[in-house]
Amino acid sequence: MVSLTADMSPLHPDRNLALELVRATEAAAIRSVPFIGRGQKELADGAAVDAMRAFLTTVNFDGVIVIGEGEKDAAPMLFNGEKVGTGRGPQADIAVDPIDGTSLTAEGRNNALSVIAVADRGAMLDASAVFYMDKLVTGPAGVGVVDIRLPIAENIHRLAKALGKPVDELVVSVLNRPRHAQLIEDIRAAGAGTRLMSDGDVAGGINAARHNARTDMCVGIGGSPEGIVTACAIKALGGHIQGRLWARDDDEKQRGIDAGLSMDGHVYEADDLVRGKNTIFVATGVTNGELVGGVRREGDFVYTESVVLRGASGTLRRITSEHLTSKWL
C-alpha cells in the first residue's frame, strides 16, 4: 500500500493530492449555486454529486468510497464501494459529502459545505449500515478530560476547568432536533450556553475543535458519515472526538451487527473512527459560515473559499480562488 505521505519528493503526486481534492469540492460548491435558496435540496445535491464525481475521476490516486452520501435522504449519491481516481498513486479510503447541509443550501442559510476526507486504505470505519451516531467533539483541551459516557453537565464542568474559563462562558453546539430536547435542557441547566444548529454538524464539530473558535464543544446525534469525516479533520486539529452508533429501530440495529459494528453503546474513539494520522480533510463553503465563506459571484468571476486540514502535519490551510464565470455557470 502506498501511504498518502509516503514519498515527499517534489514530483510525487501525493504532494498535490490535497489541492486536487479542493478542485473537486470547489466544483461541487459552484455547481450548487443555482439552487441556493430555491427549496430544491435534491437538485442541489444532484448537481454537486455530478460535479464532484467528474473531478474525482481525474485525481491521481486509487480511491474507494467508504462513506458515501445520500442514502439517508434517498438522494443522489456517490455510492459506497465506488472507485474514484485514475487508479495511479496512493491507495485511499474516501468519505464524501458533496453538500453537508442540503437543507441549508435549499433554504439559503449559513454553514453548508462541500466536503471530502481521505485516509490510507483500510483506515476508515465503515459505519454505513447505521445512519446516525451520537458524538462528542472538543478541541485539544478536552483530550483525556471529557468522555461521552459521562453526564453532559460533568463534561461541561470538566472542560470549563481545563479551558480555564467560567462555565457560563462555555458554548455547546447541538443540532436543533426534537431528540435533543432533554440534552439542550441539561446543557443550559449546567450553566453553559447553546448554539443550536439547523443542519451541518461537520462544521459544528470542526468549529468546536478549532483554536479560538466561538464554540467549545459539539454534542448530540447526527449522521454517522459526518462522524467519520469530522474525525479526519480532528486528527489535524489535535482535538477530541468520540462516537456511539445510534440505531433508529431494531432492523437497523441488526444491520449494524451484521456489518460487524458494535451496537451495544460501544464508544468509538478517534483512532477507531479513522486509524493513524495520514488524513486529509478538504471543505469548500457553499453558503457563508464560521469555518469558510460561501460561493459568491461578482461579474465575470466566481469566488470560493476552502480549508485543507492534514493530520500528518497538523496544519489548517485556507485557499481562496477566483474562477471565470464563463467556465462554470
Side-chain angles (χ1 to χ4, degrees):
M1 180 180 71
V2 181
S3 168
L4 296 177
T5 57
D7 183 348
M8 300 305 289
S9 64
L11 298 180
H12 196 274
D14 295 351
R15 293 288 289 175
N16 297 318
L17 180 57
L19 184 57
E20 289 299 295
L21 295 172
V22 169
R23 292 174 62 237
T25 56
E26 286 177 343
I30 291 170
R31 288 301 188 193
S32 68
V33 167
F35 304 100
I36 294 175
R38 302 305 176 102
Q40 300 171 309
K41 68 176 187 177
E42 288 83 7
L43 292 180
D45 205 24
V49 167
D50 289 346
M52 181 173 284
R53 178 180 279 122
F55 271 80
L56 284 176
T57 62
T58 70
V59 178
N60 281 328
F61 70 158
D62 180 6
V64 174
I65 292 179
V66 175
I67 300 294
E69 65 85 47
E71 291 178 332
K72 190 163 53 185
D73 299 316
M77 59 185 297
L78 281 149
F79 60 85
N80 298 338
E82 181 173 353
K83 293 186 176 181
V84 293
T86 63
R88 301 185 300 274
Q91 295 180 328
D93 283 352
I94 314 294
V96 298
D97 202 342
I99 302 180
D100 177 42
T102 52
S103 295
L104 298 176
T105 303
E107 296 169 12
R109 291 185 285 124
N110 287 350
N111 292 315
L113 301 171
S114 178
V115 173
I116 298 174
V118 180
D120 288 330
R121 179 68 52 82
M124 287 185 185
L125 176 70
D126 182 355
S128 57
V130 181
F131 293 143
Y132 291 102
M133 180 184 290
D134 187 15
K135 288 164 277 191
L136 169 63
V137 184
T138 73
V143 176
V145 173
V146 298
D147 192 299
I148 197 171
R149 287 163 286 219
L150 296 174
I152 187 62
E154 184 170 349
N155 280 326
I156 286 170
H157 283 273
R158 286 185 173 207
L159 185 59
K161 182 178 180 181
L163 290 169
K165 63 195 301 185
V167 169
D168 61 7
E169 292 183 9
L170 215 71
V171 179
V172 182
S173 293
V174 190
L175 281 171
N176 191 11
R177 299 289 188 272
R179 62 179 177 263
H180 290 149
Q182 186 61 54
L183 177 60
I184 293 167
E185 184 177 325
D186 291 344
I187 292 168
R188 293 170 176 169
T194 56
R195 174 165 293 182
L196 301 184
M197 305 178 293
S198 57
D199 208 341
D201 61 333
V202 171
I206 294 172
N207 284 331
R210 290 172 55 215
H211 177 63
N212 287 336
R214 297 178 183 176
T215 55
D216 304 289
M217 183 187 300
C218 184
V219 297
I221 297 164
S224 56
E226 287 84 348
I228 307 302
V229 169
T230 303
C232 288
I234 299 305
K235 294 276 185 169
L237 296 170
H240 171 85
I241 182 169
Q242 293 173 306
R244 294 183 292 201
L245 293 169
W246 189 81
R248 292 171 294 179
D249 52 41
D250 289 340
D251 288 341
E252 188 173 53
K253 181 176 181 179
Q254 188 59 51
R255 287 197 298 273
I257 293 170
D258 293 344
L261 299 170
S262 297
M263 301 301 301
D264 57 356
H266 172 78
V267 174
Y268 287 91
E269 304 288 346
D271 280 336
D272 300 320
L273 299 172
V274 184
R275 292 197 304 275
K277 293 185 177 179
N278 288 341
T279 61
I280 299 172
F281 169 93
V282 300
T284 300
V286 176
T287 59
N288 285 331
E290 185 179 340
L291 183 62
V292 285
V295 181
R296 74 181 195 276
R297 181 177 178 179
E298 295 180 7
D300 294 334
F301 294 93
V302 175
Y303 296 88
T304 59
E305 183 178 353
S306 306
V307 290
V308 177
L309 293 91
R310 294 189 64 239
S313 58
T315 54
L316 184 155
R317 291 184 172 89
R318 294 189 177 275
I319 298 174
T320 56
S321 305
E322 59 180 47
H323 315 259
L324 276 173
T325 305
S326 59
K327 302 290 186 180
W328 289 98
L329 305 175

